Amino acid sequence: MLWHYPACFKYNEASTKLKETFHGRQRLRDFRHGARLDGQRDRRRRHPTPLQRARLALRRIGEFDKHYARKEYAIFPIMENQGITAPPKVMWGVDDDIRSMYKDLKNLLQKEDFDAIPKAFSDLKYEMTEMITKEEDILLPMIIDIFNEDHWLQIAKESEEIGYCIVKPEAKWVPERSLPEDVSHETLESEANPYINFQTGYLTPHQLEKMLNNIPLELTFVDADNIVRYYNDNGEEKFFKRTSSAIGRDVMNCHPPKSLPIVTKLLADLKSGAKESESMWFRAMGKFILVTYRAVRDDDGSYMGTLEYVQDIQPILDLDGEKRTLS
């Protein structure tokens, strides 16, 4: 119900189509020529060329990244809380290797390197199939007896946020549950929130949360012990995936193994005072992303944690002239 058995069949279907498209190097070499001739014969023809079919199939298989993200951001945190730490790190590393192989194949197809494509596809299919076997024969048996219904409900909720691979559940999973006799739905509702006093004003927790969620930045706060304590949520797709499972988690476990040296050095520099902030910028997802890490210090200068904020700065770079009136 929460795993990916239907997706496996769809994956195999897409994979078979991709393999058929890649069958024979001469046929691969004919892609470009065939596409050109097809266009010359009938530019209005709606049937996709072999090359277009290959790209469509590869794009569909690319949804595996959502499935891997569900493992890494919804399942692995619970495993770590249950004391299972080594398998998630190893599997995340292999996930990233498969992601790299997929990107390499995608680039080869973009370059129309038909000599290299068949082997790259074969290697990718083998590793993906091996990962499915590891998930079903190792990962699931490892967690099935230690995850409770609350864990699976949390995974189901976060899976909706992350997305699914090719196949989505036909219906929302709602297990039958009952409240203890001495607890009613009314008593579960929170009382009026008290104000939080700041040096420059006061807000209710609800007001503060809504305000933070409306800031056009992805905010994450990691405390002095490297524990994730907070992230905001504006309801939009995030550049960096965040789920409620991250709260209370060691930030080192929130990153793939290949990123750990960078994260470790960055936090050490911010904590020691070697740096007060660090910024990175790059293009991804059709956006120009700016990421800033800033040390948060108490009045006496002691380190309280690190604030990360992420934003798409492309709309800012696109600004021209001045605007001094309302739209």
Side-chain angles (χ1 to χ4, degrees):
M1 151 181 54
L2 292 174
W3 208 243
H4 67 291
Y5 294 104
C8 290
F9 295 111
K10 292 293 184 180
Y11 158 78
N12 288 330
E13 176 186 325
S15 176
T16 299
K17 289 181 180 178
L18 194 58
K19 184 177 181 180
E20 290 173 351
T21 305
F22 290 159
H23 182 66
R25 294 194 177 192
Q26 184 58 46
R27 185 174 179 183
L28 288 168
R29 293 190 181 95
D30 288 343
F31 275 0
R32 183 188 299 164
H33 181 62
R36 184 162 53 245
L37 290 179
D38 286 343
Q40 292 171 351
R41 290 192 190 107
D42 185 0
R43 294 186 180 277
R44 295 171 299 175
R45 190 169 65 86
R46 295 182 179 180
H47 297 293
T49 65
L51 182 58
Q52 290 171 332
R53 287 199 298 271
R55 286 174 174 159
L56 287 172
L58 188 61
R59 186 179 305 126
R60 192 179 193 195
I61 290 176
E63 293 191 13
F64 78 92
D65 186 60
K66 297 177 183 177
H67 172 69
Y68 287 5
R70 288 173 64 210
K71 286 191 301 182
E72 295 155 359
Y73 294 98
I75 294 176
F76 288 175
I78 301 175
M79 294 178 68
E80 291 158 8
N81 288 336
Q82 298 295 317
I84 305 174
T85 57
K89 292 179 181 178
V90 174
M91 187 168 281
W92 198 335
V94 179
D95 287 351
D96 279 346
D97 290 341
I98 294 174
R99 288 183 173 108
S100 296
M101 295 174 70
Y102 174 81
K103 290 179 181 178
D104 290 342
L105 177 58
K106 190 175 180 180
N107 289 335
L108 290 174
L109 191 59
Q110 186 67 32
K111 296 175 182 177
E112 300 181 9
D113 187 346
F114 302 131
D115 289 327
I117 285 175
K119 184 178 186 307
F121 169 73
S122 178
D123 291 345
L124 175 63
K125 182 178 180 181
Y126 174 80
E127 292 298 334
M128 281 187 162
T129 304
E130 284 291 295
M131 178 55 71
I132 291 174
T133 301
K134 292 173 183 175
E135 291 172 349
E136 295 177 350
D137 294 348
I138 300 175
L139 181 62
L140 276 176
M142 186 182 299
I143 65 178
I144 199 69
D145 290 330
I146 63 173
F147 280 22
N148 59 37
E149 193 173 79
D150 287 334
H151 293 143
W152 290 113
L153 281 169
Q154 181 176 336
I155 291 169
K157 175 179 178 295
E158 294 175 352
S159 293
E160 287 292 328
E161 299 173 8
I162 296 170
Y164 296 92
C165 173
I166 302 178
V167 176
K168 295 182 65 175
E170 295 180 358
K172 184 178 180 180
W173 177 50
V174 182
E176 294 185 5
R177 312 186 80 179
S178 59
L179 294 172
E181 294 182 358
D182 58 341
V183 178
S184 65
H185 288 284
E186 289 74 18
T187 58
L188 292 178
E189 296 180 359
S190 60
E191 300 295 333
N193 290 320
Y195 284 100
I196 301 175
N197 293 313
F198 302 97
Q199 291 184 355
T200 54
Y202 52 90
L203 298 166
T204 66
H206 186 65
Q207 289 172 332
L208 179 59
E209 181 176 49
K210 291 299 182 182
M211 184 178 73
L212 291 171
N213 286 343
N214 274 280
I215 295 176
L217 301 169
E218 290 180 19
L219 303 175
T220 304
F221 179 71
V222 177
D223 71 13
D225 296 319
N226 294 340
I227 302 300
V228 180
R229 294 299 180 188
Y230 170 83
Y231 67 90
N232 68 340
D233 185 8
N234 59 12
E236 298 179 0
E237 182 180 5
K238 296 183 179 296
F239 303 124
F240 298 148
K241 292 182 177 65
R242 295 285 186 270
T243 64
S244 57
S245 294
I247 303 302
R249 193 181 182 193
D250 189 320
V251 72
M252 299 300 177
N253 294 330
C254 297
H255 294 81
K258 64 180 181 181
S259 301
L260 290 183
I262 297 175
V263 176
T264 300
K265 179 171 177 23
L266 172 63
L267 292 177
D269 287 346
L270 293 174
K271 188 172 186 176
S272 68
K275 291 181 178 179
E276 287 302 314
S277 66
E278 178 67 77
S279 295
M280 303 178 185
W281 52 91
F282 50 88
R283 296 190 181 276
M285 302 168 60
K287 306 176 187 295
F288 197 168
I289 299 174
L290 173 65
V291 186
T292 303
Y293 306 90
R294 181 173 295 278
V296 177
R297 303 193 185 281
D298 207 340
D299 295 340
D300 61 2
S302 59
Y303 176 75
M304 298 178 65
T306 293
L307 176 65
E308 174 194 73
Y309 46 99
V310 186
Q311 65 182 130
D312 175 19
I313 61 173
Q314 190 61 55
I316 299 175
L317 297 176
D318 290 341
L319 291 176
D320 186 29
E322 295 183 351
K323 182 179 183 296
R324 294 175 178 268
T325 59
L326 297 176
S327 299

